[in-house]
């Protein structure tokens, strides 16, 4: 007979004594269980003791997390968190250097536990640590030369404890003084050789900037880009990651009017070139966190274009009109007109003719073409950049098209405007960076004007594709679709430079795109004849059942999800999987991202499938209704889903990618008896149906299948040919 669900068998350790085997009744108060344990070892004052996990975490067991205790777990009887916090509070103020160092080391370890952290913070422990950072270390300035390792370790443990305590979100970041910020900022320079101090100092600065507008202003005054740059030129990728994270935080929180100024400083300090040389082209793999920070920097850099993208052209602004005149001058190099009475009219007529050759929609007043946002003035900026920096290519495109027949000319002006709009959509200009994306493109770090260069390559591609398609003005949208496909396919290969991107596009000619499309069409061929459609209807339920089983099997394997927090680098993971009988969801927290499947018995929490009331996605999720930059992010919204169950309970997910999102939402809907509606299901259904139909039609190759079934023959006049077995 299986043991009751509320009884957990554990071993409990106590220093100097043999471990005790014990059955814990989860219905009994925790204090009663601790008293029973203390009585067994004849320990008085049981309220001064607590239980904690005897593994590497050493986390305290409380009424809130006691359900995480598993059968066979090893626990340890130890001093209560309140008493432990009080002792450490006193020990870190010891006059003995060795005792103080040991106490700070213990504090750094214990601070990871939220139960201990709450007790230590209640003793005003954060203030004590900040005072030690601000002034306490001054006492040991004279000892640095003779006790440098000890001093470095002490400061490292102090900062580690501070970071861990603040990560619990119990104390507001707004409470810290300028003196503390100055001290942390000074460590970024003073302890460049001490990796642990530098790492924690950078982490504190990043959190300050991200969590408090007031602290952002103070940090921005204390730390300069020039002080951060040298840390990117080292060889430690973790320090480089933290450094870029601080730069990103400063960039993200800067007021709109300060961002361009900061971008100019980054350009002056050669940040892009330094990142390219010491990070992207360094002889080592780029880890996920570094890839994320590079992606964030890429997004923030492109978002500087948003202002121009959303600015309409003022047709009355002479400076803006002069740009259009400059485009015309470069293209046609018009000779000065003679000053006669008819010259003004002639000039207007000539300008109108030239603007038509330049491909503007409004020949009389091309400024009107730039009143739509997006792309606004950004399109005109791109055109001028192309005309000035790639003058030969610009003149060739304009003159080439002006000499073609009207119906086959590629309108440069209209093309540039639509292409700029398309590139902004591809690069998501103006959107906040995703908290989960690592999709940076190395080629954008190879040039100071990477977006403009990107445009220059793509406008030449558009002109080339237009010629290959022998397109007319009616085909404009078709050409744009092909060009977008060419760009997207080239970007997926992650070219390392703009030249490599250009080379990839050369191989993706219109002919090649047609071949790819034809191949894909053949693989997903959709037969439309009536017999085939009837066959599809007949076998579709089988295919859907196959997809359903695959989804449920994937849920049984489980997935590791990441808990999003304000400091992304300290990733916390949790795992969720379905039981093999499809009746229970098992889930629980993990120390680190797992390699392979996580066993059911190591996941502490359970949710019966029968208790699930609904599955909601996107903005309907409880964790997406909170305010904040992360919650408003489009990409995170697209990966969010929640399970709602009894008593207003909820289990919130953010999928690692779109594929896992589809797998889980499909699987959960299948468990609830609902239709699987994801894009992945539609694609799988199309692919599997196509394959199954092709297999069934193999024997009918080169045979015309009639649209209607053959007629049923008339009944014979007699049935004498029938043999009666009786």
């Amino acid at each position: 007979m299986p043991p009751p669900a509320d009884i957990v068998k554990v071993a409990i350790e106590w220093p100097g004594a043999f471990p005790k085997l014990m059955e814990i009744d989860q219905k009994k108060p925790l204090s009663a269980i601790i008293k029973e344990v203390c009585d067994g070892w004849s320990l008085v004052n049981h309220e001064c003791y607590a239980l904690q996990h005897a593994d590497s975490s050493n986390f305290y067991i409380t009424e809130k997390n006691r359900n995480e205790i598993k059968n066979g777990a090893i626990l340890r009887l130890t001093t209560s968190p309140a008493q432990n916090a009080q002792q450490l509070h006193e020990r870190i103020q010891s006059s003995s250097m060795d005792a103080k160092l040991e106490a700070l080391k213990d504090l750094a370890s214990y601070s990871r536990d939220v139960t201990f952290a709450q007790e230590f913070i209640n003793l005003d422990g954060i203030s004590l640590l900040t005072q030690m950072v601000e002034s306490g270390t001054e006492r040991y300035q004279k000892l640095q030369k003779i006790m440098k390792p000890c001093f470095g370790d002490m400061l490292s443990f102090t900062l580690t404890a501070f970071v861990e305590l603040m990560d619990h979100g119990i104390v507001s970041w707004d409470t810290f003084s300028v003196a503390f910020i100055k001290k942390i900022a000074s460590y970024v320079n003073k302890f460049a050789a001490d990796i642990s101090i530098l790492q924690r100092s950078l982490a504190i600065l990043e959190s300050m900037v991200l969590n408090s507008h007031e602290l952002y202003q103070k940090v921005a005054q204390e730390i300069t880009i020039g002080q951060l740059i040298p840390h990117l030129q080292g060889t430690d990728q973790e320090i480089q990651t933290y450094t870029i994270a601080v730069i990103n935080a400063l960039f993200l929180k800067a007021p709109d009017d300060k961002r361009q100024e900061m971008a100019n400083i980054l350009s002056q300090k050669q940040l892009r070139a330094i990142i390219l040389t010491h990070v992207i082209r360094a002889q080592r793999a780029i880890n996920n966190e570094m890839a994320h920070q590079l992606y964030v920097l890429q997004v923030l850099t492109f978002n500087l274009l948003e202002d121009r993208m959303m600015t309409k052209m003022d047709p009355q602004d002479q400076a803006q009109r002069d740009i259009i005149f400059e485009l015309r001058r470069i293209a046609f190099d018009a000779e000065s007109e003679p000053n006669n009475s008819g010259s003004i009219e002639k000039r207007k007529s000539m300008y109108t003719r030239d603007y038509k050759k330049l491909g503007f929609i409004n020949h009389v007043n091309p400024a009107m073409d730039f009143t739509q946002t997006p792309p606004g003035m950004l399109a005109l900026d791109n055109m001028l950049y192309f005309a000035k920096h790639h003058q030969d290519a610009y003149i060739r495109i304009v003159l080439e098209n002006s000499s073609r027949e009207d119906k086959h000319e590629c309108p440069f002006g209209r093309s540039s405007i639509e292409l700029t709009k398309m590139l902004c959509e591809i690069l998501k200009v103006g959107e906040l960076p995703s908290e989960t994306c690592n999709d940076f493109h190395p080629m954008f770090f190879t040039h100071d004007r990477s977006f403009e260069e990107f445009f220059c390559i793509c406008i030449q591609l558009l002109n080339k594709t237009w010629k290959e398609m022998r397109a007319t003005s009616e085909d404009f949208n078709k050409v744009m679709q092909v060009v977008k496909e060419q760009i997207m396919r080239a970007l997926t290969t992650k070219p390392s430079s703009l030249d490599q991107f250009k080379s990839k596009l050369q191989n993706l000619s219109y002919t090649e795109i047609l071949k790819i499309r034809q191949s894909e069409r053949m693989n997903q061929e959709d037969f439309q004849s009536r017999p085939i459609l009837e066959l599809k209807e007949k076998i579709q339920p089988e295919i859907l059942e196959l997809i359903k089983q695959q989804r449920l099997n994937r849920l049984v394997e489980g997935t590791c999800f990441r808990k999003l927090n304000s400091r992304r680098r300290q990733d916390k993971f949790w795992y969720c999987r379905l039981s093999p009988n499809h009746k229970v969801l098992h889930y629980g927290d993990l120390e680190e991202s797992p390699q392979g499947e996580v066993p059911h018995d190591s996941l502490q929490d359970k949710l019966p499938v029968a208790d699930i009331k609904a599955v909601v996605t996107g903005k309907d999720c409880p964790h997406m209704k909170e305010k904040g930059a992360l919650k408003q992010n489009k990409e995170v919204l697209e990966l969010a889903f929640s399970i709602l169950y009894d008593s207003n309970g909820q289990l919130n997910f953010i999928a690692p990618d779109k594929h896992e999102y589809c797998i889980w939402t499909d699987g959960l809907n299948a468990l609830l008896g609902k239709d699987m509606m994801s894009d992945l299901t539609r694609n799988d259904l199309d692919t599997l149906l196509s394959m199954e139909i092709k297999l069934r039609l193999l024997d009918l190759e080169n045979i015309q299948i009639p649209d209607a079934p053959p007629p049923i023959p008339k009944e014979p006049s007699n049935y004498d040919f029938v043999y009666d077995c009786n």
Side-chain angles (χ1 to χ4, degrees):
M1 182 177 175
D6 294 321
I7 302 297
V8 184
K9 295 182 178 181
V10 299
I12 301 178
E13 297 175 343
W14 173 250
F18 287 109
K20 180 181 292 187
L21 296 176
M22 185 174 177
E23 290 187 352
I24 291 180
D25 186 350
Q26 292 284 36
K27 291 180 179 177
K28 287 175 66 175
L30 193 59
S31 57
I33 295 170
I34 293 171
K35 184 177 186 305
E36 186 181 335
V37 174
C38 290
D39 290 345
W41 276 310
S42 303
L43 299 173
V44 295
N45 300 327
H46 71 276
E47 61 275 1
C48 295
Y49 294 93
L51 291 172
Q52 67 179 182
H53 291 280
D55 57 17
S56 58
S57 71
N58 291 331
F59 285 173
Y60 280 103
I61 292 166
T62 64
E63 291 290 355
K64 286 184 179 178
N65 64 19
R66 62 184 295 177
N67 289 329
E68 296 176 9
I69 302 173
K70 304 187 289 279
N71 273 314
I74 301 174
L75 309 181
R76 183 187 298 121
L77 185 67
T78 185
T79 52
S80 68
Q83 192 170 347
N84 195 8
Q86 183 65 51
Q87 290 171 358
L88 277 172
H89 193 273
E90 293 167 3
R91 286 171 58 201
I92 62 175
Q93 299 179 72
S94 169
S95 57
S96 164
M97 287 283 283
D98 290 339
K100 192 184 191 85
L101 180 63
E102 196 61 33
L104 286 167
K105 183 178 180 181
D106 290 343
L107 178 63
S109 174
Y110 278 112
S111 295
R112 292 179 299 128
D113 184 356
V114 66
T115 310
F116 169 85
Q118 185 68 68
E119 295 294 344
F120 189 76
I121 289 168
N122 290 343
L123 296 171
D124 214 14
I126 294 281
S127 297
L128 177 59
L129 291 179
T130 55
Q131 286 168 20
M132 289 173 65
V133 171
E134 288 173 25
S135 58
T137 53
E138 297 292 340
R139 274 183 252 158
Y140 305 104
Q141 292 291 322
K142 295 177 183 178
L143 299 173
Q144 279 190 60
K145 290 184 180 178
I146 57 173
M147 301 186 69
K148 193 167 185 180
C150 180
F151 175 78
D153 289 344
M154 186 181 296
L155 185 56
S156 174
F157 289 135
T158 304
L159 295 177
T160 302
F162 176 84
V163 169
E164 295 289 357
L165 290 167
M166 290 304 297
D167 261 0
H168 296 298
I170 300 168
V171 179
S172 169
W173 282 93
D174 288 314
T175 57
F176 299 106
S177 67
V178 175
F180 179 71
I181 297 169
K182 285 186 175 181
K183 188 64 76 172
I184 296 296
S186 72
Y187 294 157
V188 172
N189 299 320
K190 190 188 287 184
F191 293 98
D194 193 319
I195 299 299
S196 59
I197 294 175
L198 179 58
Q199 194 182 83
R200 285 151 184 78
S201 298
L202 289 167
I204 292 169
L205 290 176
E206 183 201 1
S207 293
M208 284 178 170
V209 172
L210 290 176
N211 290 289
S212 167
H213 178 68
E214 189 178 335
L215 285 186
Y216 154 73
Q217 294 174 319
K218 293 175 181 175
V219 172
Q221 290 170 359
E222 295 301 325
I223 200 84
T224 65
I225 301 300
Q227 291 171 316
L228 295 171
I229 293 290
H231 302 309
L232 290 172
Q233 296 170 314
T235 56
D236 189 297
Q237 188 171 116
E238 201 162 353
I239 292 297
Q240 291 175 325
T241 304
Y242 276 84
T243 303
I244 297 176
V246 173
I247 293 171
N248 284 340
L250 290 167
F251 216 144
L252 189 63
K253 293 297 178 179
D256 293 342
D257 57 331
K258 293 281 185 185
R259 280 187 192 169
Q260 189 59 56
E261 184 183 321
M262 187 175 171
N264 294 337
I265 294 170
L266 294 177
S267 178
Q268 289 169 12
K269 299 290 182 183
Q270 303 279 307
L271 176 71
R272 179 199 58 76
I274 289 168
I275 288 176
L276 183 67
T277 304
H278 296 278
V279 178
I280 296 174
R281 291 182 178 170
Q283 298 299 312
R284 60 174 179 269
I286 292 176
N287 61 35
N288 285 341
E289 183 53 38
M290 174 59 87
H292 172 72
Q293 294 301 341
L294 290 172
Y295 153 78
V296 172
L297 183 59
Q298 173 185 295
V299 171
L300 294 176
T301 304
F302 285 143
N303 280 357
L304 293 170
L305 303 168
E306 185 183 11
D307 184 48
R308 294 295 282 173
M309 181 181 79
M310 301 308 294
T311 301
K312 293 182 180 181
M313 185 171 185
D314 180 1
Q316 307 306 317
D317 189 317
Q318 188 57 43
Q320 294 179 1
R321 290 168 65 88
D322 285 345
I323 298 175
I324 297 176
F325 292 149
E326 181 68 5
L327 287 173
R328 179 196 159 278
R329 186 196 66 75
I330 295 172
F332 302 110
D333 196 22
E335 296 177 3
S336 56
E337 293 291 325
N339 288 323
N340 54 45
S341 57
S343 66
I344 294 175
E345 290 302 318
K346 283 184 179 179
R347 191 177 293 116
K348 280 186 178 179
S349 173
M350 183 177 66
Y351 281 5
T352 301
R353 186 184 71 242
D354 289 347
Y355 290 148
K356 184 179 180 182
K357 289 180 180 179
L358 277 169
F360 290 113
I361 296 172
N362 192 317
H363 308 152
V364 178
N365 186 6
M368 299 303 295
D369 287 13
F370 300 95
T371 54
Q372 181 188 357
T373 58
M377 287 296 292
L378 185 60
L380 189 57
D381 294 343
N382 283 341
M383 292 167 73
L384 183 63
Y385 181 91
F386 181 49
K388 285 191 169 182
H389 294 83
H390 299 269
Q391 194 164 320
D392 291 345
Y394 168 69
I395 293 171
R396 187 183 70 251
I397 286 175
V398 173
L399 295 183
E400 219 176 59
N401 286 294
S402 62
S403 62
R404 284 186 197 160
E405 297 176 45
D406 279 352
K407 64 176 185 175
H408 284 294
E409 64 183 13
C410 176
F412 173 74
R414 183 186 175 192
S415 299
S416 298
I417 292 167
E418 289 301 318
L419 179 63
T420 301
K421 184 178 178 181
M422 180 202 292
L423 297 183
C424 288
E425 289 171 359
I426 290 172
L427 298 176
K428 299 182 179 177
V429 175
E431 290 188 22
L432 286 167
S434 164
E435 275 288 321
T436 57
C437 187
N438 302 333
D439 188 25
F440 83 98
H441 293 278
M443 72 177 192
F444 291 130
F445 291 85
T446 62
H447 201 285
D448 287 328
R449 303 288 294 274
S450 57
F451 184 81
E452 289 87 343
E453 288 292 326
F454 185 41
F455 168 84
C456 293
I457 293 169
C458 294
I459 192 66
Q460 293 177 74
L461 167 74
L462 193 153
N463 189 63
K464 173 174 169 283
T465 303
W466 185 283
K467 287 191 289 184
E468 289 172 350
M469 291 178 69
R470 299 183 58 78
T472 63
S473 55
E474 287 81 15
D475 301 319
F476 187 86
N477 290 333
K478 289 181 184 176
V479 176
M480 295 304 293
Q481 287 172 5
V482 172
V483 169
K484 184 173 184 178
E485 186 174 345
Q486 289 170 314
I487 294 169
M488 294 299 288
R489 287 185 184 277
L491 283 177
T492 54
T493 64
K494 291 291 178 74
S496 59
S497 67
L498 289 163
D499 285 338
Q500 198 177 75
F501 174 68
K502 204 172 186 176
S503 175
K504 297 280 184 188
L505 290 176
Q506 291 291 333
N507 297 329
L508 282 169
S509 63
Y510 176 58
T511 307
E512 187 62 27
I513 291 292
L514 284 180
K515 286 180 183 176
I516 294 170
R517 285 181 174 181
Q518 186 177 1
S519 173
E520 290 174 351
R521 201 178 296 120
M522 286 177 67
N523 291 335
Q524 299 177 2
E525 193 167 288
D526 189 14
F527 300 102
Q528 295 299 322
S529 66
R530 186 180 160 194
I532 302 299
L533 291 174
E534 288 180 2
L535 180 59
K536 271 188 175 183
E537 285 179 22
K538 183 178 178 182
I539 62 178
Q540 184 165 315
E542 297 174 34
I543 302 294
L544 282 171
E545 183 61 28
L546 186 66
I547 294 171
K548 176 183 171 182
Q549 290 306 317
Q550 187 270 342
R551 300 293 192 263
L552 294 176
N553 289 341
R554 280 287 291 107
L555 264 61
V556 170
E557 290 174 18
T559 302
C560 178
F561 298 92
R562 190 167 55 79
K563 291 185 175 181
L564 295 180
N565 51 29
S566 58
R567 292 183 61 251
R568 185 181 187 274
R569 279 186 308 284
Q570 293 208 347
D571 282 352
K572 295 180 180 177
F573 300 94
W574 69 289
Y575 199 88
C576 187
R577 62 180 298 181
L578 181 66
S579 62
N581 63 6
H582 300 172
K583 291 187 177 180
V584 180
L585 282 173
H586 298 263
Y587 62 96
D589 293 343
L590 300 175
E591 286 289 315
E592 56 186 5
S593 183
Q595 301 297 320
E597 290 183 25
V598 176
H600 291 99
D601 55 7
S602 66
L603 300 172
Q604 308 89 353
D605 300 300
K606 297 178 182 179
L607 172 60
V609 171
D611 291 348
I612 298 176
K613 299 298 182 189
V615 176
V616 293
T617 60
K619 290 181 180 178
D620 296 328
C621 297
H623 60 315
M624 291 293 111
K625 291 179 180 177
E626 304 166 23
K627 292 183 180 177
L630 167 64
K631 309 309 176 205
Q632 297 166 1
N633 184 278
K634 184 181 173 185
E635 262 189 81
V636 175
L637 276 174
E638 290 175 351
L639 298 175
F641 62 98
S642 297
I643 293 173
L644 307 182
Y645 56 93
D646 287 345
S647 307
N648 297 320
Q650 61 198 41
L651 197 56
N652 298 321
F653 300 75
I654 293 179
D657 52 50
K658 191 68 178 175
H659 183 267
E660 286 296 321
Y661 170 85
C662 293
I663 290 287
W664 274 85
T665 51
D666 282 345
L668 292 170
N669 280 325
L671 285 173
L672 298 178
K674 296 181 180 179
D675 291 337
M676 299 179 291
M677 305 296 291
S678 74
D679 293 340
L680 184 63
T681 293
R682 282 195 291 274
N683 292 337
D684 287 351
L685 181 61
D686 289 345
T687 304
L688 293 172
L689 268 176
S690 177
M691 288 172 61
E692 183 66 22
I693 286 172
K694 284 178 182 177
L695 285 171
R696 295 194 181 200
L697 297 179
L698 276 177
D699 293 335
L700 298 178
E701 193 172 357
N702 298 324
I703 295 176
Q704 184 67 37
I705 301 172
D707 288 337
I712 299 172
K714 292 180 181 179
E715 287 191 36
S717 56
N718 63 69
Y719 290 89
D720 293 345
F721 59 87
V722 177
Y723 180 75
D724 189 354
C725 295
N726 298 322

